[in-house]
Amino acid sequence: MAIGDAVRARAVHDDCWYVDTGMYDVEEYGSVYLVDGDRPALVDTGLGTNVERVLDLLEAAGVAPEALDVIALTHVHLDHAGGAGPLVEACPNATVFVHESGARHLVDPARLWAGTKQAVGDQIDYYTEPTPIPESRIETLTDGDAIDLGDHRLRARHAPGHAPHQVVFDAPELDAVFTADAAGIYTPSTDEVHVTSPPPNFDLDGALDDVAMLADLDRTWLCYAHYGPARTDARLDEYATALETWVEAVETARTDYAADEAVVDHFVETVETPAVWSDHKARAEVAMNVRGVLTYLDRRGEDA
């Protein structure tokens, strides 16, 4: 697939579609899914910069914007929810579903925008400022709540290890789960899973609990927000090990360097990243993930 390609994921189910949104101007990083059932539903929206590609996804599946019923957000980080405002305008009958702790950031995204600028650094150039969504267009979810799509269901399972407002969506009729960031980042071209540990809310124990919850769902397919569907196989076990190894490596490096920025620089220069990502995106990704672990370690130290 290339940026902008919208395809039916037939191996998962005839009703499952997704698009490469070209997030951060790279392939194999951002995907938005469509469950084309009795009540069509988008899962996530990507950045507000790529909304036209999400609308192209609807067109490819033969779903008119006014026929879209559901926009199901895994969480409110802007790489997942940044396009929600424009899509609400373009899809007048769609209701946005989001975890109860994230809804206020959709109604008034000012704090979310400020926090995003702090977390992503110069990657903010790829973003557009989020637009508010009327409360009347939002429904809140908590753990176990299901979105009824008629012939499909999306059941929200709280997954706060990445962010307190994150859920994954279990889709039993697809034998799949939409993983948000709870299962890491997948690159099809290398068939690898990479850690994600951004500030300010990454929590190792919580992230490991989320992986265990995904394993308990026992679905055949993991539909990664970053990026694309993959068979579950042993990926969750591998990701749990990768998380523990990653945090241990950052903690060890912190004892070797006098300043945290030196720790960041060390990993930026040494971590191997997928060739399909640009050098700029890859370096920014690593730096952000190191800072997330450092923030977690500080918080853990304060709680000890």
Side-chain angles (χ1 to χ4, degrees):
M1 284 180 65
I3 291 173
D5 284 350
V7 300
R8 177 178 267 155
R10 293 186 185 277
V12 179
H13 195 282
D14 276 354
D15 290 342
C16 184
W17 294 71
Y18 71 111
V19 64
D20 185 332
T21 65
M23 191 177 294
Y24 304 112
D25 289 344
V26 300
E27 297 177 21
E28 294 189 21
Y29 193 87
S31 48
V32 169
Y33 292 89
L34 171 69
V35 180
D36 183 18
D38 293 340
R39 299 181 63 213
L42 289 174
V43 179
D44 284 339
T45 68
L47 297 170
T49 49
N50 308 126
V51 167
E52 75 285 350
R53 292 177 182 142
V54 181
L55 294 173
D56 289 344
L57 169 65
L58 295 179
E59 183 178 4
V63 176
E66 59 271 19
L68 185 72
D69 273 348
V70 169
I71 299 172
L73 300 179
T74 59
H75 55 306
V76 301
H77 286 168
L78 293 181
D79 54 333
H80 297 257
L87 284 168
V88 161
E89 293 183 11
C91 303
N93 297 310
T95 299
V96 177
F97 289 80
V98 67
H99 187 263
E100 58 190 359
S101 65
R104 62 192 175 96
H105 295 295
L106 301 180
V107 176
D108 179 4
R111 284 186 60 191
L112 178 63
W113 180 236
T116 301
K117 289 189 283 187
Q118 183 176 8
V120 305
D122 64 2
Q123 289 188 97
I124 201 66
D125 292 342
Y126 296 105
Y127 290 69
T128 56
E129 187 170 355
T131 56
I133 298 172
E135 285 188 70
S136 61
R137 299 287 299 275
I138 298 172
E139 293 284 345
T140 60
L141 299 165
T142 190
D143 185 61
D145 287 348
I147 306 171
D148 182 2
L149 305 181
D151 51 349
H152 293 284
R153 289 166 293 157
L154 297 176
R155 186 170 298 279
R157 297 298 309 272
H158 196 205
H162 177 79
H165 42 79
Q166 180 179 252
V167 298
V168 302
F169 287 111
D170 181 30
E173 288 78 19
L174 304 181
D175 195 14
V177 56
F178 296 94
T179 63
D181 288 326
I185 294 173
Y186 176 65
T187 48
S189 61
T190 61
D191 194 29
E192 294 175 311
V193 177
H194 315 272
V195 297
T196 178
S197 56
N201 298 125
F202 169 74
D203 178 83
L204 176 60
D205 290 338
L208 292 173
D209 287 345
D210 295 346
V211 174
M213 176 268 291
L214 288 170
D216 286 343
L217 292 175
D218 196 26
R219 299 302 179 200
T220 298
W221 291 94
L222 302 174
C223 290
Y224 287 90
H226 312 290
Y227 157 86
R231 287 189 175 274
T232 303
D233 296 332
R235 296 185 205 284
L236 294 173
D237 288 341
E238 292 168 0
Y239 187 55
T241 299
L243 278 171
E244 292 178 302
T245 302
W246 171 240
V247 171
E248 182 179 316
V250 174
E251 186 173 19
T252 299
R254 201 180 212 183
T255 67
D256 296 335
Y257 293 92
D260 280 353
E261 280 308 302
V263 177
V264 173
D265 291 343
H266 164 72
F267 286 101
V268 166
E269 297 301 330
T270 58
V271 169
E272 288 190 22
T273 53
V276 71
W277 297 349
S278 68
D279 182 64
H280 178 259
K281 173 55 189 168
R283 294 171 70 88
E285 182 79 18
V286 174
M288 182 174 64
N289 287 330
V290 176
R291 292 191 177 100
V293 175
L294 294 171
T295 301
Y296 157 73
L297 293 172
D298 288 340
R299 190 171 61 246
R300 189 182 68 179
E302 292 169 0
D303 294 340

